[in-house]
Amino acid sequence: MGKISAIITGVGGYVPDYILNNEELSRMVDTNDEWIMTRVGIKERHILTEEGLGTSYMARKAAKQLIQKTGVDPDTIDAVIVTTSTADYKFPSTASIVLGKLGLKNAFAFDFWAACCGFLYTLDVAASMIQCGRYKKIIVIGADKMSSVIDYKDRATCPLFGDGAAAVLVEGSEEENIGVMDSYFRADGKGLPFLHLKAGGSVCPPSHFTVDHRLHYLYQEGRTVFRYAVTNMSDDCALIAERNGLNKDNIQWVVPHQANMRIIEAVAKRLELPMEQVMVNIEHFGNTSAATIPLALWENEHLLKKGDNMIFTAFGAGFVHGASFYRWAYDGKDHA
């Protein structure tokens, strides 16, 4: 058997119906549309408001659409991996709930935590599982219900995040020079003080104190996170481009994590690419954490052509960051 390529063969997505726009948000907290658009570039975000529904609901919706679009036999799925920072429960895994709801009989499931880098890292893990030859078909889902950890009294963070999910089917192929080509990942543990959710884990378990002091919400020191994100995402993209002979003439798309429009523009500038070649959905989705990159693929699938050279890049809590080189495996207009 020759070398196995790991390729994405389809994309599914889901965002909740309810849209929280800047005008409504400005009635909840001291902010306004101009302030939000100037600093981060977000106009609206989708929020899962139905009581009793969590991340697994959105993940299942995205995966179900993926299965329908690709026509894959559910009994041939080997694994389901959900990457999220907002799991339904501490345990069991969100992936196991999704698997059960989809009725997959021959698959195993696990969650992968890497904050906003989740999809980037998980795609690489799934690709390795495929390339080793032991698995044939894996569903990778990036999903987050960020509204569940956002303090809507905090004007610094509540405009930034939204809810959503997107799923890709990763399969093996005998075709060469296609699919996941290369990746560069790093982490800097010094990021803990600047971006975290303080309570709810084993260091600071839930208590009346943690609830009363609003410690179950995301905390972010925006300026520090912004500075690290710009530097690392730009450097990582430049490195992955250099070692794979990629430049402004042969890169078709950059798919960056959607945290801040100014970060996205800085990445494009570093690669000397026009914004027309950068997938952007932050204006209408906000930061959906692990879902941003696959949601961008889902929205823009119809534009993708077989052989397109793409760079994915992300940055998140931990500080985890990285970039990967992916060569698209099918004409998107035939699948969208």
Side-chain angles (χ1 to χ4, degrees):
M1 181 183 289
K3 183 180 178 182
I4 301 171
S5 298
I7 63 172
I8 293 171
T9 56
V11 190
Y14 174 80
V15 289
D17 292 332
Y18 180 74
I19 296 174
L20 175 60
N21 60 31
N22 290 346
E23 194 275 329
E24 182 179 354
L25 198 62
S26 68
R27 298 198 299 268
M28 300 165 59
V29 69
D30 181 20
T31 190
N32 58 66
D33 179 74
E34 182 184 8
W35 189 91
I36 298 170
M37 286 297 294
T38 300
R39 284 161 178 77
V40 289
I42 299 170
K43 179 72 72 174
E44 58 189 28
R45 65 289 291 152
H46 292 250
I47 305 295
L48 185 63
T49 57
E50 290 84 353
E51 190 173 344
L53 296 182
T55 296
S56 70
Y57 173 80
M58 298 184 293
R60 173 170 58 90
K61 286 277 195 178
K64 189 171 183 180
Q65 185 191 87
L66 170 69
I67 290 170
Q68 291 172 341
K69 280 175 64 176
T70 58
V72 64
D73 180 355
D75 290 343
T76 65
I77 302 298
D78 294 308
V80 176
I81 312 173
V82 172
T83 177
T84 184
S85 298
T86 55
D88 283 18
Y89 307 99
K90 287 291 182 183
F91 53 85
S93 70
T94 301
S96 67
I97 298 170
V98 173
L99 178 148
K101 293 286 188 181
L102 292 174
L104 305 183
K105 298 182 179 66
N106 300 311
F108 67 101
F110 62 93
D111 288 356
F112 192 106
W113 278 26
C116 295
C117 272
F119 180 79
L120 199 65
Y121 286 18
T122 308
L123 179 63
D124 209 66
V125 169
S128 298
M129 293 168 65
I130 294 290
Q131 288 165 339
C132 80
R134 291 174 60 190
Y135 308 100
K136 301 290 191 295
K137 297 174 183 177
I138 299 173
I139 293 177
V140 172
I141 309 169
D144 268 300
K145 184 183 175 182
M146 294 303 294
S147 63
S148 67
V149 295
I150 296 304
D151 183 355
Y152 285 94
K153 294 183 179 180
D154 179 7
R155 69 190 296 267
T157 58
C158 72
L160 307 180
F161 297 94
D163 302 338
V168 298
L169 180 61
V170 185
E171 298 189 60
S173 170
E174 294 183 2
E175 187 173 353
E176 297 180 354
N177 296 316
I178 202 156
V180 178
M181 306 295 291
D182 190 17
S183 59
Y184 172 81
F185 302 142
R186 289 293 184 273
D188 180 353
K190 299 190 188 78
L192 172 62
F194 309 109
L195 180 53
H196 60 259
L197 201 159
K198 188 178 291 290
S202 60
V203 167
C204 186
S207 67
H208 287 294
F209 178 87
T210 63
V211 172
D212 292 344
H213 288 79
R214 309 182 74 79
L215 301 181
H216 292 268
Y217 295 118
L218 177 148
Y219 169 81
Q220 175 173 273
E221 188 178 299
R223 289 183 179 178
T224 301
V225 174
F226 176 85
R227 187 172 72 250
Y228 272 87
V230 167
T231 300
N232 286 310
M233 286 173 65
S234 298
D235 288 351
D236 295 349
C237 285
L239 183 148
I240 208 80
E242 181 180 359
R243 75 184 192 188
N244 288 282
L246 300 172
N247 55 54
K248 65 180 190 295
D249 298 320
N250 59 15
I251 298 171
Q252 278 72 48
W253 295 101
V254 173
V255 191
H257 170 54
Q258 311 284 310
N260 185 305
M261 193 63 193
R262 291 182 293 163
I263 297 173
I264 295 170
E265 289 169 347
V267 170
K269 184 178 180 181
R270 181 68 176 272
L271 293 171
E272 300 181 330
L273 286 176
M275 288 302 294
E276 290 76 22
Q277 288 174 247
V278 182
M279 291 189 186
V280 180
N281 61 21
I282 189 172
E283 183 173 346
H284 53 278
F285 286 160
N287 182 349
T288 55
S289 193
T292 64
I293 290 176
L295 275 174
L297 296 175
W298 174 60
E299 272 201 305
N300 295 281
E301 183 183 20
H302 64 287
L303 300 175
L304 297 171
K305 298 180 177 63
K306 183 174 181 178
D308 278 355
N309 290 326
M310 310 173 72
I311 292 180
F312 304 153
T313 185
F315 177 92
F319 288 146
V320 293
H321 59 93
S324 60
F325 167 31
Y326 184 87
R327 185 167 286 140
W328 198 251
Y330 62 90
D331 289 329
K333 62 178 173 23
D334 298 332
H335 291 66

